[in-house]
PDB file of all heavy atoms in Angstrom:
ATOM      1  N   HIS I  80      -9.518  -1.001  -5.439  1.00  0.00           N
ATOM      2  CA  HIS I  80     -10.368  -2.039  -4.833  1.00  0.00           C
ATOM      3  C   HIS I  80     -11.846  -1.697  -4.894  1.00  0.00           C
ATOM      4  O   HIS I  80     -12.681  -2.559  -5.137  1.00  0.00           O
ATOM      5  CB  HIS I  80      -9.997  -2.236  -3.364  1.00  0.00           C
ATOM      6  CG  HIS I  80      -8.698  -2.920  -3.174  1.00  0.00           C
ATOM      7  ND1 HIS I  80      -7.521  -2.252  -2.958  1.00  0.00           N
ATOM      8  CD2 HIS I  80      -8.384  -4.223  -3.177  1.00  0.00           C
ATOM      9  CE1 HIS I  80      -6.548  -3.116  -2.839  1.00  0.00           C
ATOM     10  NE2 HIS I  80      -7.031  -4.316  -2.963  1.00  0.00           N
ATOM     11  N   TYR I  81     -12.157  -0.444  -4.638  1.00  0.00           N
ATOM     12  CA  TYR I  81     -13.573  -0.068  -4.582  1.00  0.00           C
ATOM     13  C   TYR I  81     -14.233  -0.246  -5.936  1.00  0.00           C
ATOM     14  O   TYR I  81     -15.322  -0.776  -6.053  1.00  0.00           O
ATOM     15  CB  TYR I  81     -13.709   1.377  -4.093  1.00  0.00           C
ATOM     16  CG  TYR I  81     -13.293   1.503  -2.657  1.00  0.00           C
ATOM     17  CD1 TYR I  81     -11.979   1.792  -2.303  1.00  0.00           C
ATOM     18  CD2 TYR I  81     -14.226   1.283  -1.634  1.00  0.00           C
ATOM     19  CE1 TYR I  81     -11.596   1.869  -0.982  1.00  0.00           C
ATOM     20  CE2 TYR I  81     -13.843   1.363  -0.300  1.00  0.00           C
ATOM     21  CZ  TYR I  81     -12.523   1.660   0.021  1.00  0.00           C
ATOM     22  OH  TYR I  81     -12.150   1.719   1.332  1.00  0.00           O
ATOM     23  N   ARG I  82     -13.527   0.164  -6.983  1.00  0.00           N
ATOM     24  CA  ARG I  82     -14.077   0.056  -8.334  1.00  0.00           C
ATOM     25  C   ARG I  82     -14.179  -1.390  -8.786  1.00  0.00           C
ATOM     26  O   ARG I  82     -14.925  -1.721  -9.692  1.00  0.00           O
ATOM     27  CB  ARG I  82     -13.185   0.806  -9.327  1.00  0.00           C
ATOM     28  CG  ARG I  82     -13.195   2.283  -9.126  1.00  0.00           C
ATOM     29  CD  ARG I  82     -14.353   2.872  -9.889  1.00  0.00           C
ATOM     30  NE  ARG I  82     -14.262   4.316  -9.854  1.00  0.00           N
ATOM     31  CZ  ARG I  82     -15.165   5.114 -10.387  1.00  0.00           C
ATOM     32  NH1 ARG I  82     -16.214   4.615 -10.988  1.00  0.00           N
ATOM     33  NH2 ARG I  82     -15.015   6.406 -10.306  1.00  0.00           N
ATOM     34  N   LEU I  83     -13.379  -2.260  -8.199  1.00  0.00           N
ATOM     35  CA  LEU I  83     -13.394  -3.663  -8.619  1.00  0.00           C
ATOM     36  C   LEU I  83     -14.301  -4.498  -7.716  1.00  0.00           C
ATOM     37  O   LEU I  83     -14.237  -5.713  -7.715  1.00  0.00           O
ATOM     38  CB  LEU I  83     -11.970  -4.228  -8.627  1.00  0.00           C
ATOM     39  CG  LEU I  83     -11.073  -3.568  -9.674  1.00  0.00           C
ATOM     40  CD1 LEU I  83      -9.638  -4.003  -9.517  1.00  0.00           C
ATOM     41  CD2 LEU I  83     -11.569  -3.909 -11.070  1.00  0.00           C
ATOM     42  N   GLY I  84     -15.147  -3.817  -6.958  1.00  0.00           N
ATOM     43  CA  GLY I  84     -16.160  -4.535  -6.189  1.00  0.00           C
ATOM     44  C   GLY I  84     -15.671  -5.068  -4.866  1.00  0.00           C
ATOM     45  O   GLY I  84     -16.318  -5.896  -4.252  1.00  0.00           O
ATOM     46  N   MET I  85     -14.504  -4.590  -4.397  1.00  0.00           N
ATOM     47  CA  MET I  85     -14.036  -5.023  -3.088  1.00  0.00           C
ATOM     48  C   MET I  85     -14.077  -3.828  -2.148  1.00  0.00           C
ATOM     49  O   MET I  85     -13.069  -3.213  -1.837  1.00  0.00           O
ATOM     50  CB  MET I  85     -12.651  -5.615  -3.191  1.00  0.00           C
ATOM     51  CG  MET I  85     -12.731  -6.969  -3.873  1.00  0.00           C
ATOM     52  SD  MET I  85     -11.193  -7.821  -3.818  1.00  0.00           S
ATOM     53  CE  MET I  85     -10.308  -6.829  -4.952  1.00  0.00           C
ATOM     54  N   ALA I  86     -15.291  -3.507  -1.728  1.00  0.00           N
ATOM     55  CA  ALA I  86     -15.498  -2.258  -0.999  1.00  0.00           C
ATOM     56  C   ALA I  86     -15.136  -2.383   0.472  1.00  0.00           C
ATOM     57  O   ALA I  86     -14.974  -1.382   1.145  1.00  0.00           O
ATOM     58  CB  ALA I  86     -16.945  -1.816  -1.151  1.00  0.00           C
ATOM     59  N   ALA I  87     -15.039  -3.635   0.985  1.00  0.00           N
ATOM     60  CA  ALA I  87     -14.788  -3.790   2.421  1.00  0.00           C
ATOM     61  C   ALA I  87     -13.325  -4.142   2.657  1.00  0.00           C
ATOM     62  O   ALA I  87     -12.751  -4.956   1.939  1.00  0.00           O
ATOM     63  CB  ALA I  87     -15.673  -4.882   3.003  1.00  0.00           C
ATOM     64  N   ASN I  88     -12.721  -3.485   3.609  1.00  0.00           N
ATOM     65  CA  ASN I  88     -11.404  -3.940   4.020  1.00  0.00           C
ATOM     66  C   ASN I  88     -11.328  -3.881   5.523  1.00  0.00           C
ATOM     67  O   ASN I  88     -11.860  -2.973   6.147  1.00  0.00           O
ATOM     68  CB  ASN I  88     -10.285  -3.134   3.351  1.00  0.00           C
ATOM     69  CG  ASN I  88     -10.141  -1.758   3.928  1.00  0.00           C
ATOM     70  OD1 ASN I  88      -9.511  -1.567   4.952  1.00  0.00           O
ATOM     71  ND2 ASN I  88     -10.767  -0.797   3.286  1.00  0.00           N
ATOM     72  N   GLY I  89     -10.726  -4.915   6.075  1.00  0.00           N
ATOM     73  CA  GLY I  89     -10.619  -5.000   7.522  1.00  0.00           C
ATOM     74  C   GLY I  89      -9.168  -5.198   7.911  1.00  0.00           C
ATOM     75  O   GLY I  89      -8.424  -5.915   7.238  1.00  0.00           O
ATOM     76  N   MET I  90      -8.777  -4.508   8.982  1.00  0.00           N
ATOM     77  CA  MET I  90      -7.431  -4.730   9.513  1.00  0.00           C
ATOM     78  C   MET I  90      -7.585  -5.808  10.596  1.00  0.00           C
ATOM     79  O   MET I  90      -8.053  -5.530  11.693  1.00  0.00           O
ATOM     80  CB  MET I  90      -6.880  -3.420  10.099  1.00  0.00           C
ATOM     81  CG  MET I  90      -5.449  -3.535  10.598  1.00  0.00           C
ATOM     82  SD  MET I  90      -4.775  -1.914  11.069  1.00  0.00           S
ATOM     83  CE  MET I  90      -5.497  -1.680  12.688  1.00  0.00           C
ATOM     84  N   SER I  91      -7.243  -7.060  10.240  1.00  0.00           N
ATOM     85  CA  SER I  91      -7.346  -8.135  11.223  1.00  0.00           C
ATOM     86  C   SER I  91      -6.068  -8.145  12.052  1.00  0.00           C
ATOM     87  O   SER I  91      -4.983  -7.898  11.527  1.00  0.00           O
ATOM     88  CB  SER I  91      -7.567  -9.485  10.539  1.00  0.00           C
ATOM     89  OG  SER I  91      -6.413  -9.921   9.856  1.00  0.00           O
ATOM     90  N   VAL I  92      -6.228  -8.377  13.335  1.00  0.00           N
ATOM     91  CA  VAL I  92      -5.071  -8.337  14.240  1.00  0.00           C
ATOM     92  C   VAL I  92      -5.093  -9.568  15.134  1.00  0.00           C
ATOM     93  O   VAL I  92      -6.164 -10.033  15.528  1.00  0.00           O
ATOM     94  CB  VAL I  92      -5.051  -7.025  15.062  1.00  0.00           C
ATOM     95  CG1 VAL I  92      -4.796  -5.836  14.145  1.00  0.00           C
ATOM     96  CG2 VAL I  92      -6.336  -6.798  15.842  1.00  0.00           C
ATOM     97  N   TRP I  93      -3.925 -10.108  15.423  1.00  0.00           N
ATOM     98  CA  TRP I  93      -3.806 -11.419  16.047  1.00  0.00           C
ATOM     99  C   TRP I  93      -2.724 -11.405  17.118  1.00  0.00           C
ATOM    100  O   TRP I  93      -1.661 -10.816  16.912  1.00  0.00           O
ATOM    101  CB  TRP I  93      -3.436 -12.449  14.973  1.00  0.00           C
ATOM    102  CG  TRP I  93      -4.331 -12.379  13.767  1.00  0.00           C
ATOM    103  CD1 TRP I  93      -4.193 -11.517  12.701  1.00  0.00           C
ATOM    104  CD2 TRP I  93      -5.508 -13.147  13.511  1.00  0.00           C
ATOM    105  NE1 TRP I  93      -5.213 -11.729  11.801  1.00  0.00           N
ATOM    106  CE2 TRP I  93      -6.039 -12.723  12.270  1.00  0.00           C
ATOM    107  CE3 TRP I  93      -6.167 -14.169  14.225  1.00  0.00           C
ATOM    108  CZ2 TRP I  93      -7.197 -13.275  11.731  1.00  0.00           C
ATOM    109  CZ3 TRP I  93      -7.308 -14.720  13.661  1.00  0.00           C
ATOM    110  CH2 TRP I  93      -7.816 -14.283  12.436  1.00  0.00           C
ATOM    111  N   ASP I  94      -3.020 -12.064  18.225  1.00  0.00           N
ATOM    112  CA  ASP I  94      -2.019 -12.215  19.285  1.00  0.00           C
ATOM    113  C   ASP I  94      -1.409 -13.610  19.124  1.00  0.00           C
ATOM    114  O   ASP I  94      -2.015 -14.610  19.495  1.00  0.00           O
ATOM    115  CB  ASP I  94      -2.710 -12.064  20.657  1.00  0.00           C
ATOM    116  CG  ASP I  94      -1.757 -12.321  21.814  1.00  0.00           C
ATOM    117  OD1 ASP I  94      -0.522 -12.386  21.589  1.00  0.00           O
ATOM    118  OD2 ASP I  94      -2.250 -12.464  22.954  1.00  0.00           O
ATOM    119  N   LEU I  95      -0.224 -13.644  18.546  1.00  0.00           N
ATOM    120  CA  LEU I  95       0.428 -14.924  18.259  1.00  0.00           C
ATOM    121  C   LEU I  95       1.572 -15.174  19.221  1.00  0.00           C
ATOM    122  O   LEU I  95       2.313 -14.257  19.583  1.00  0.00           O
ATOM    123  CB  LEU I  95       1.022 -14.916  16.840  1.00  0.00           C
ATOM    124  CG  LEU I  95       0.083 -14.786  15.665  1.00  0.00           C
ATOM    125  CD1 LEU I  95       0.877 -14.966  14.384  1.00  0.00           C
ATOM    126  CD2 LEU I  95      -1.028 -15.822  15.766  1.00  0.00           C
ATOM    127  N   ASP I  96       1.720 -16.410  19.559  1.00  0.00           N
ATOM    128  CA  ASP I  96       2.875 -16.862  20.318  1.00  0.00           C
ATOM    129  C   ASP I  96       4.140 -16.388  19.586  1.00  0.00           C
ATOM    130  O   ASP I  96       4.308 -16.642  18.400  1.00  0.00           O
ATOM    131  CB  ASP I  96       2.804 -18.396  20.339  1.00  0.00           C
ATOM    132  CG  ASP I  96       3.927 -19.005  21.137  1.00  0.00           C
ATOM    133  OD1 ASP I  96       4.885 -18.276  21.469  1.00  0.00           O
ATOM    134  OD2 ASP I  96       3.845 -20.215  21.407  1.00  0.00           O
ATOM    135  N   ASP I  97       5.011 -15.660  20.293  1.00  0.00           N
ATOM    136  CA  ASP I  97       6.192 -15.084  19.634  1.00  0.00           C
ATOM    137  C   ASP I  97       7.067 -16.138  18.960  1.00  0.00           C
ATOM    138  O   ASP I  97       7.709 -15.862  17.952  1.00  0.00           O
ATOM    139  CB  ASP I  97       7.041 -14.306  20.655  1.00  0.00           C
ATOM    140  CG  ASP I  97       6.366 -13.007  21.050  1.00  0.00           C
ATOM    141  OD1 ASP I  97       5.860 -12.305  20.153  1.00  0.00           O
ATOM    142  OD2 ASP I  97       6.325 -12.695  22.252  1.00  0.00           O
ATOM    143  N   ALA I  98       7.080 -17.342  19.533  1.00  0.00           N
ATOM    144  CA  ALA I  98       7.965 -18.384  19.010  1.00  0.00           C
ATOM    145  C   ALA I  98       7.619 -18.763  17.572  1.00  0.00           C
ATOM    146  O   ALA I  98       8.491 -19.143  16.799  1.00  0.00           O
ATOM    147  CB  ALA I  98       7.901 -19.625  19.909  1.00  0.00           C
ATOM    148  N   CYS I  99       6.325 -18.653  17.201  1.00  0.00           N
ATOM    149  CA  CYS I  99       5.974 -19.061  15.835  1.00  0.00           C
ATOM    150  C   CYS I  99       5.395 -17.918  15.016  1.00  0.00           C
ATOM    151  O   CYS I  99       4.858 -18.133  13.927  1.00  0.00           O
ATOM    152  CB  CYS I  99       5.039 -20.271  15.847  1.00  0.00           C
ATOM    153  SG  CYS I  99       3.756 -20.178  17.068  1.00  0.00           S
ATOM    154  N   ALA I 100       5.520 -16.681  15.522  1.00  0.00           N
ATOM    155  CA  ALA I 100       4.898 -15.545  14.832  1.00  0.00           C
ATOM    156  C   ALA I 100       5.474 -15.338  13.433  1.00  0.00           C
ATOM    157  O   ALA I 100       4.729 -15.066  12.486  1.00  0.00           O
ATOM    158  CB  ALA I 100       5.062 -14.280  15.676  1.00  0.00           C
TER     159      ALA I 100
END
Side-chain angles (χ1 to χ4, degrees):
Chain I
H80 288 96
Y81 292 90
R82 293 274 188 183
L83 294 172
M85 288 188 289
N88 74 82
M90 184 172 79
S91 71
V92 293
W93 310 84
D94 175 12
L95 296 187
D96 182 347
D97 287 316
C99 43

